[in-house]
Amino acid sequence: MSIDNILAARGFFIKKDYCRRFFKGMLLREMKTGTKLQLELYDEMGKRIDKQFVSQFEYTEDEKTAIIHVPLYEGVIYPIHTSLLLYVFFSQAEKLYSFKAEIIDRFTKGDIPFIRIKILGKITNVQRRSYYRLPCSLPAIYRIASQKEFNCESEHGEFIESNTINISGSGVCILLKDNIQADTLVECYLELKEDYEIYFLGRVVRVTKCQQNNNYRYKAGIAFEHIKGRHRDAIVKFIFEEQRKLRRKGFI
């Protein structure tokens, strides 16, 4: 049975070109010059180098080969050698992508250092994996929003202090002092990192009572209803970074 027939049997009616695009995945030639990259580098022993590297996409040479800027660490060019492996993360059209690659050459053009990388495998959309729920306690404030007000220019009451229980790419669970009905729209700010706030409007999907918590009586699962792409990307990257820390400590 063809892919089209399988999807139709399951109730998915998708245009054929989109269907092929969905299963084929993103192509290297679709990346744009100047795209910001986040890199994970691995040494000669295959051990991840515990630093945050940034780079920039320059151009493609073919379907499996690309030119990017030499990685920077804290604004300084990082010494790098050929044959090293790396993972490349980048955002495009409000989605986060990743691929594995090998450094096959290093050169300088017009006083700018570049590296040539060869892609190993496919470019994958990692947004789906970002829906892993990361247990974490982050400072947050919330208030009930108007069901018709999506820009929240008008006041809807005082914000109430809270903390998160967990967070994912699709929503967050926060602590409540008072009960809120399911399907309520809430306006929320949370401090993802120091000096970096996330704002969103969310829909309460469930509320349950807290056990053994003197400060909060309830907890609410909230699905993101309106959130800026850069804020969702920041959440995804935050989750990845925290997962890496947990893996290094052997917790996951």
Side-chain angles (χ1 to χ4, degrees):
M1 183 180 290
S2 69
I3 288 175
D4 290 342
N5 291 335
I6 292 172
L7 290 174
R10 295 182 180 180
F12 294 97
F13 298 97
I14 305 174
K15 292 182 179 179
K16 289 186 177 180
D17 58 343
Y18 177 83
C19 180
R20 295 191 189 99
R21 177 75 167 78
F22 178 84
F23 283 94
K24 189 174 184 180
M26 183 177 179
L27 301 176
L28 186 62
R29 64 170 178 266
E30 296 176 68
M31 290 186 66
K32 300 177 182 178
T33 299
T35 297
K36 302 300 180 184
L37 309 175
Q38 183 178 359
L39 309 180
E40 281 187 2
L41 297 178
Y42 291 78
D43 62 20
E44 291 85 351
M45 303 300 293
K47 183 178 179 181
R48 180 177 176 271
I49 300 171
D50 192 16
K51 293 181 173 64
Q52 294 293 323
F53 299 97
V54 294
S55 181
Q56 183 173 303
F57 184 81
E58 190 65 17
Y59 61 89
T60 59
E61 290 187 326
D62 54 49
E63 289 293 343
K64 290 291 183 179
T65 312
I67 306 300
I68 68 173
H69 289 237
V70 168
L72 298 179
Y73 173 65
E74 295 183 345
V76 178
I77 292 175
Y78 188 81
I80 196 169
H81 307 288
T82 58
S83 300
L84 295 185
L85 296 178
L86 70 156
Y87 279 90
V88 180
F89 296 88
F90 65 97
S91 296
Q92 188 162 306
E94 297 188 357
K95 292 184 179 181
L96 185 67
Y97 293 91
S98 173
F99 62 85
K100 184 179 180 181
E102 178 186 7
I103 300 170
I104 59 176
D105 191 20
R106 175 172 175 164
F107 63 95
T108 300
K109 185 176 181 180
D111 296 327
I112 301 176
F114 296 96
I115 56 174
R116 180 176 285 107
I117 61 174
K118 180 181 179 180
I119 293 183
L120 307 175
K122 295 181 179 180
I123 300 176
T124 59
N125 178 2
V126 295
Q127 281 282 33
R128 296 186 185 93
R129 291 187 296 176
S130 73
Y131 294 165
Y132 163 82
R133 289 198 173 275
L134 176 74
C136 61
S137 178
L138 302 172
I141 57 174
Y142 71 93
R143 65 182 178 185
I144 296 176
S146 167
Q147 298 294 312
K148 296 181 180 180
E149 187 67 68
F150 273 80
N151 56 24
C152 287
E153 294 177 351
S154 59
E155 295 293 328
H156 300 298
E158 296 293 328
F159 280 101
I160 302 171
E161 292 185 357
S162 179
N163 283 282
T164 66
I165 297 176
N166 59 55
I167 190 170
S168 77
S170 61
V172 65
C173 183
I174 67 171
L175 294 165
L176 306 175
K177 293 184 177 179
D178 297 303
N179 194 7
I180 293 180
Q181 295 297 318
D183 201 41
T184 299
L185 190 68
V186 295
E187 181 183 5
C188 187
Y189 290 85
L190 64 87
E191 187 177 326
L192 190 64
K193 299 178 182 178
E194 186 177 355
D195 298 326
Y196 194 94
E197 278 190 340
I198 296 294
Y199 168 77
F200 65 88
L201 285 173
R203 185 78 59 179
V204 176
V205 294
R206 64 186 173 276
V207 179
T208 56
K209 286 187 176 181
C210 284
Q211 303 294 329
Q212 299 178 344
N213 193 312
N214 296 326
N215 296 322
Y216 298 95
R217 300 171 59 195
Y218 302 93
K219 56 185 178 182
I222 301 172
F224 296 141
E225 185 126 330
H226 180 75
I227 184 170
K228 292 182 178 178
R230 67 175 184 273
H231 284 178
R232 192 190 295 272
D233 287 347
I235 291 172
V236 171
K237 292 176 182 177
F238 171 78
I239 292 172
F240 285 152
E241 290 170 5
E242 294 301 310
Q243 283 181 290
R244 293 183 195 116
K245 293 176 184 177
L246 292 172
R247 287 193 188 99
R248 288 199 296 270
K249 294 178 181 179
F251 294 145
I252 60 174

